[in-house]
Amino acid sequence: MHIGMVGLGRMGSNMLERLRAAGIDVTGYDADPQNTEVATLGELVDALPDEGRIVWVMVPAGKPTETVLDELFELLGEGDVVIEGGNSHFEADRVHAARFAEKSIAFVDVGVSGGIWGRENGYGLMAGGEDAEIERLLPVFDALRPEGPREEGFVHAGPVGAGHYAKMVHNGIEYGLMQAYAEGFELLTARDDLI
């Protein structure tokens, strides 16, 4: 298997290395000339096998993602698949999937959790997309997730948008928990008699 990784920041570059360590060929592209392996997105696409190309987009949500997706729409064709792994809004995933479907390009959204520690420990992955596409991509997901049973590090959450929806809920719980810890520590430090 050979995939393209767009966005070689802290998470994208670590994901690329984890995939390679698992025996998956990866060609990486980044807008920063110091971080990229190929000069353009076009070169990235050209480096992939002719049929069934897979491109994982790992850039910040919003304009950076939209720009990359617009360019990939022009470069990819029937049978290819785009995996959007940033923190995009789940409603936007449905719009992107419908657009790519016009050219018979599959679209899968994946919420990714694990930060900079994911390279060593694996990433929690929450995927949204069609069953056939998720099945096709399981070697990629298995390479990225933590060791152990698949269901402990990967979930096919539902149709397109479900992956980013699950990640949104995950973030809400995580940030709420961190806020509760912070408030607890603040109370403890404010009350000398409790320490």
Side-chain angles (χ1 to χ4, degrees):
M1 182 172 270
H2 186 175
I3 75 168
M5 178 69 72
V6 179
L8 301 179
R10 289 193 295 180
M11 281 188 66
S13 62
N14 284 338
M15 291 169 70
L16 178 143
E17 293 302 326
R18 188 169 175 91
L19 287 165
R20 285 182 176 161
I24 294 176
D25 290 329
V26 187
T27 300
Y29 168 76
D30 194 271
D32 182 346
Q34 295 182 354
N35 290 342
T36 195
E37 298 177 348
V38 292
T40 66
L41 273 176
E43 286 184 27
L44 173 86
V45 170
D46 289 344
L48 300 175
D50 290 337
E51 294 183 13
R53 294 171 293 199
I54 301 168
V55 179
W56 189 307
V57 179
M58 202 67 195
V59 299
K63 188 166 178 57
T65 294
E66 298 297 328
T67 300
V68 169
L69 294 180
D70 285 346
E71 193 168 346
L72 287 174
F73 182 78
E74 300 301 325
L75 295 168
L76 297 175
E78 183 175 351
D80 296 338
V81 60
V82 172
I83 306 166
E84 207 280 271
N87 279 330
S88 295
H89 192 271
F90 67 94
E91 295 283 359
D93 295 326
R94 296 175 186 157
V95 173
H96 295 138
R99 181 179 183 213
F100 279 103
E102 294 171 11
K103 290 181 67 176
S104 298
I105 302 168
F107 186 89
V108 173
D109 63 291
V110 180
V112 181
S113 182
I116 59 173
W117 303 277
R119 179 179 177 184
E120 181 179 335
N121 301 320
Y123 298 90
L125 305 171
M126 298 146 265
E130 298 295 326
D131 291 345
E133 296 306 326
I134 299 300
E135 187 71 26
R136 172 183 170 192
L137 297 168
L138 279 178
V140 174
F141 300 143
D142 284 342
L144 290 171
R145 69 176 176 79
E147 299 289 326
R150 184 181 286 151
E151 63 271 10
E152 292 181 8
F154 169 81
V155 64
H156 178 197
V160 169
H164 283 144
Y165 188 90
K167 180 69 186 321
M168 176 184 68
V169 173
H170 164 280
N171 284 352
I173 293 168
E174 180 181 31
Y175 298 152
L177 187 58
M178 288 191 295
Q179 178 69 28
Y181 286 155
E183 290 178 12
F185 284 120
E186 183 179 27
L187 287 171
L188 289 172
T189 57
R191 293 283 309 269
D192 292 336
D193 59 323
L194 294 177
I195 298 177

